[in-house]
Amino acid sequence: MRTGRAPILLTAVTLASALTLTACTDGGGSSTGSSGGNYVTGPSGISTVARGKRVAAPKLDGETVEGGTLDTSTLKGKVVVINVWGSWCGPCRTEAPYFKKVSEELAKDVAFVGINTRDNSKQNALNFEKDYGIGYPSLFDPAGKLVLRFPTGTLNPAAIPSTIVLDREGRIAARALTAIDDKRLRQMIDPLLAEK
């Protein structure tokens, strides 16, 4: 009777592995999560929207990994970087030191917010933040409901990791659907800081 359980267990492990791999991408997928949007994707993989064609970001609010509350609509007036991540995601670990570095360099002018997704335990997310020295807050979104608030046809976060940058008016201005380094992160942020 024990041999009957082995194929079932193997099938379950294979399925779980496949789901994990498709959930955490490094940019190799073809899904953009948008159709017919008014944006341009450059050779760096960063998609941008012209100033006059940007749409408002959805309200992103709720409990943080750290146990507080956060509402991104209160951050209008600042450029806002939103990073969707999971502690289980290899590319998220790769980019974390760059986010720490840039968030500290631009702390006066730019607000950084994480959206921790598909982590069933806050402890895993807290450990990730501690390991990488992340000092900015992350909304705890284990079911991915916050990500679904982004309008269809916009630069929505369609992969993990995803990075969305909002202009000072709270409108979606740029997106990357892969792990990024500090140079590419600054390529997303600096033009928005220069806007008057």
Side-chain angles (χ1 to χ4, degrees), residues 58-62 64 69-76 113 139:
K59 181 176 179 174
L60 301 170
D61 61 334
T64 65
T69 57
L70 176 68
D71 180 346
T72 58
S73 65
T74 65
L75 301 174
K76 271 192 181 174
V113 175
L139 290 162

Side-chain angles (χ1 to χ4, degrees), residues 1-12:
M1 286 293 185
R2 297 186 83 174
T3 57
R5 297 183 82 198
I8 293 170
L9 180 59
L10 182 58
T11 302

Side-chain angles (χ1 to χ4, degrees), residues 7 11 14 35 52 65 68 73 75 96 103-104 106 117 140 144 153 163 181 187:
T11 302
T14 302
S35 60
V65 167
S73 65
L75 301 174
S103 68
E104 290 172 353
L106 299 178
T117 191
F140 185 61
T163 302
D181 60 16
Q187 286 174 351

Side-chain angles (χ1 to χ4, degrees), residues 111-133:
F112 278 70
V113 175
I115 297 178
N116 171 255
T117 191
R118 298 188 189 171
D119 266 321
N120 294 327
S121 161
K122 278 189 180 180
Q123 192 57 53
N124 291 339
L126 285 167
N127 290 343
F128 179 98
E129 290 182 338
K130 181 180 176 187
D131 290 347
Y132 292 99

Side-chain angles (χ1 to χ4, degrees), residues 8-169:
I8 293 170
L9 180 59
L10 182 58
T11 302
V13 169
T14 302
L15 180 59
S17 297
L19 289 173
T20 300
L21 289 174
T22 58
C24 186
T25 63
D26 62 4
S30 61
S31 172
T32 63
S34 301
S35 60
N38 293 313
Y39 59 89
V40 176
T41 303
S44 64
I46 296 169
S47 301
T48 58
V49 181
R51 192 173 189 174
K53 297 188 177 189
R54 296 175 189 158
V55 299
K59 181 176 179 174
L60 301 170
D61 61 334
E63 187 178 359
T64 65
V65 167
E66 302 80 14
T69 57
L70 176 68
D71 180 346
T72 58
S73 65
T74 65
L75 301 174
K76 271 192 181 174
K78 283 192 162 196
V79 171
V80 178
V81 175
I82 300 168
N83 180 246
V84 181
W85 63 277
S87 66
W88 45 268
C89 167
C92 299
R93 292 190 288 273
T94 300
E95 71 178 5
Y98 301 116
F99 277 79
K100 174 188 182 331
K101 176 180 185 270
V102 177
S103 68
E104 290 172 353
E105 290 172 352
L106 299 178
K108 283 185 180 180
D109 302 309
V110 180
F112 278 70
V113 175
I115 297 178
N116 171 255
T117 191
R118 298 188 189 171
D119 266 321
N120 294 327
S121 161
K122 278 189 180 180
Q123 192 57 53
N124 291 339
L126 285 167
N127 290 343
F128 179 98
E129 290 182 338
K130 181 180 176 187
D131 290 347
Y132 292 99
I134 302 298
Y136 53 84
S138 285
L139 290 162
F140 185 61
D141 186 31
K145 291 180 180 179
L146 292 175
V147 172
L148 295 176
R149 292 184 186 177
F150 282 83
T152 302
T154 66
L155 295 181
N156 50 4
I160 302 168
S162 286
T163 302
I164 307 288
V165 183
L166 311 181
D167 65 16
R168 289 186 178 98
E169 295 176 44

